[in-house]
Amino acid sequence: MTSSAVEIQASTLAGYADASRLRQANDQDWVLGQAPAAPRVHVDLGSGIGQLLETTLERCPSLQRAVGLEQSEHRLREAADRLRRFGDRVRLRQADLTRPEPLEISPDLVTMTSVLHWLHPVEERIFAWVGQHLAPGGTFLLTTYHPARDEHGLGGEDDIVREALVALGTDRALVPRLFAEHDVLPIATRTRDAEGLHRLLEQRLRVAATAERDAVVQVGSAAEYEHFHAATFGDYYSRMVEPGLRADFFRAVGEAAWRRQRERGHVSSMPVRLWKTTTRG
């Protein structure tokens, strides 16, 4: 059986440059607006295809070293192509952020945007890593999304996936069980609430300031969202359906999102929080 184009995209997380425009493109200016005026070393945790590093390198002539830590080989290759023009100012490394390894540098700027939920339930490991590596007086900037969740812990993208599974024949009441049976922890559950995150951060760092805004996703077609989902979430959710139904699953996700767009004027809207933290003491 031949995989569909969107299944291949999901397996490689390809097309993220286009997908990020729907949810994260506006985060860059917001995040870097809180960065030090003249950073020397920037580490981006979960650096993806290198977009945030590229922007920092373009805007900050003071930057001597930009380091990206990313788990996906496919995204690292795309990042290497994107950042090649900056030469030896850039270092990219494959890394599992749930088990972060030491680096022989002390960055004065560390960022992590829209990544933390993937580290659940061991987020404190990366906070400890940042606390150990951040230069005295340095800044760690973190963004977290906080979708509303129901009594089953589902919310945000989980709701769209639930609609897709129902469209494929799953009884709506059985969807939470399907998540559990396939060890798919809902994204809304993966994101800790703001109070819990504040407590975790304060164990290793000092929360200097927070800001919040609504992140609104809008699309122009079902196909656009289908590819957004594949590029952003890969095959995380699609493993809940049989291999022969996975192309149908992605298509149903796109159709569910497009229905929401037509009915509500957007696919989703949820708070995103920016945390500005510094070293303790």
Side-chain angles (χ1 to χ4, degrees):
M1 179 173 55
T2 303
S3 297
S4 67
V6 74
E7 288 177 90
I8 295 170
Q9 180 187 9
S11 69
T12 62
L13 296 170
Y16 190 71
D18 289 332
S20 66
R21 290 185 296 103
L22 296 180
R23 181 170 288 170
Q24 295 179 34
N26 292 334
D27 286 357
Q28 287 194 18
D29 288 338
W30 193 38
V31 170
L32 293 181
Q34 297 298 318
R40 298 182 307 278
V41 179
H42 176 198
V43 174
D44 191 26
L45 302 170
S47 53
I49 61 174
Q51 293 162 301
L52 188 60
L53 290 174
E54 179 181 39
T55 302
T56 313
L57 285 158
E58 289 174 342
R59 295 184 183 181
C60 302
S62 62
L63 201 61
Q64 300 167 10
R65 177 64 57 86
V67 179
L69 303 183
E70 169 60 43
Q71 187 165 26
S72 166
E73 293 181 7
H74 299 282
R75 287 182 174 174
L76 282 169
R77 285 197 291 270
E78 190 170 346
D81 290 339
R82 177 183 294 273
L83 300 173
R84 184 169 288 112
R85 61 193 171 100
F86 297 103
D88 59 8
R89 294 170 69 196
V90 176
R91 181 190 303 170
L92 299 174
R93 178 179 295 188
Q94 189 171 24
D96 178 358
L97 297 183
T98 65
R99 297 178 178 83
E101 298 179 357
L103 286 182
E104 295 180 358
I105 56 174
S106 295
D108 51 350
L109 173 62
V110 178
T111 54
M112 184 161 65
T113 58
S114 305
V115 171
L116 188 67
H117 52 279
W118 294 116
L119 309 188
H120 180 89
V122 294
E123 302 94 329
E124 69 276 3
R125 294 179 185 173
I126 202 65
F127 297 157
W129 186 96
V130 174
Q132 292 163 2
H133 286 77
L134 193 63
T139 299
F140 172 44
L141 299 172
L142 167 72
T143 64
T144 54
Y145 285 84
H146 297 275
R149 54 187 179 223
D150 66 13
E151 68 274 18
H152 304 292
L154 276 67
E157 194 69 16
D158 309 319
D159 286 333
I160 297 169
V161 167
R162 173 161 41 195
E163 291 181 28
L165 292 170
V166 170
L168 292 177
T170 301
D171 187 305
R172 184 178 181 85
L174 298 180
V175 169
R177 183 189 301 177
L178 196 62
F179 271 72
E181 288 175 349
H182 290 84
D183 198 27
V184 176
L185 187 65
I187 294 294
T189 299
R190 283 182 166 275
T191 302
R192 296 180 187 268
D193 62 37
E195 290 184 5
L197 280 175
H198 193 283
R199 288 194 297 271
L200 276 180
L201 282 163
E202 284 282 357
Q203 292 176 11
R204 303 288 184 169
L205 300 152
R206 184 179 69 86
V207 177
T210 62
E212 196 168 283
R213 65 175 179 82
D214 286 334
V216 179
V217 174
Q218 297 175 307
V219 293
S221 69
E224 184 179 12
Y225 198 87
E226 180 181 353
H227 290 287
F228 164 79
H229 178 95
T232 303
F233 298 98
D235 53 13
Y236 182 70
Y237 289 106
S238 65
R239 65 179 187 257
M240 290 190 287
V241 302
E242 295 297 325
L245 291 176
R246 287 177 184 167
D248 293 333
F249 168 80
F250 286 111
R251 187 160 45 250
V253 165
E255 290 169 352
W258 183 232
R259 281 194 300 274
R260 286 173 165 239
Q261 176 69 48
R262 296 196 309 271
E263 293 167 0
R264 308 177 186 188
H266 61 264
V267 177
S268 62
S269 177
M270 70 184 73
V272 56
R273 177 168 289 218
L274 170 60
W275 307 77
K276 182 176 183 178
T277 72
T278 63
T279 52
R280 298 188 68 86

